Amino acid sequence: MIETLLLALGLVLIVEGLVYALAPSLLEQILAALAQLPPDQRRLLGLASLAVGLVMVWAAKQLGA
């Protein structure tokens, strides 16, 4: 269980690090666009991301990860 948690956190840090390293100006544009969204839409976007992430983790576990 702890191995899976460490793997997941490591992958998140890799992806976020790549965004900061390869496209910092794009990240600023994305954050500015998100700041213009109403809080309800940001919440819905967060919940949708959470749901997609849960499905991906479930699928990975079903496939033997």
Side-chain angles (χ1 to χ4, degrees):
M1 178 67 180
I2 191 76
E3 300 90 2
T4 304
L5 179 63
L6 288 174
L7 177 63
L9 288 174
L11 289 172
V12 167
L13 290 174
I14 289 170
V15 170
E16 289 201 12
L18 281 173
V19 172
Y20 282 107
L22 299 178
S25 60
L26 178 60
L27 182 62
E28 290 176 8
Q29 293 173 0
I30 292 170
L31 290 174
L34 283 173
Q36 293 177 353
L37 289 176
D40 288 341
Q41 283 185 328
R42 283 183 276 177
R43 184 174 293 116
L44 185 61
L45 183 62
L47 289 172
S49 296
L50 176 72
V52 169
L54 284 172
V55 168
M56 290 174 72
V57 169
W58 175 82
K61 290 303 256 180
Q62 293 299 314
L63 293 171

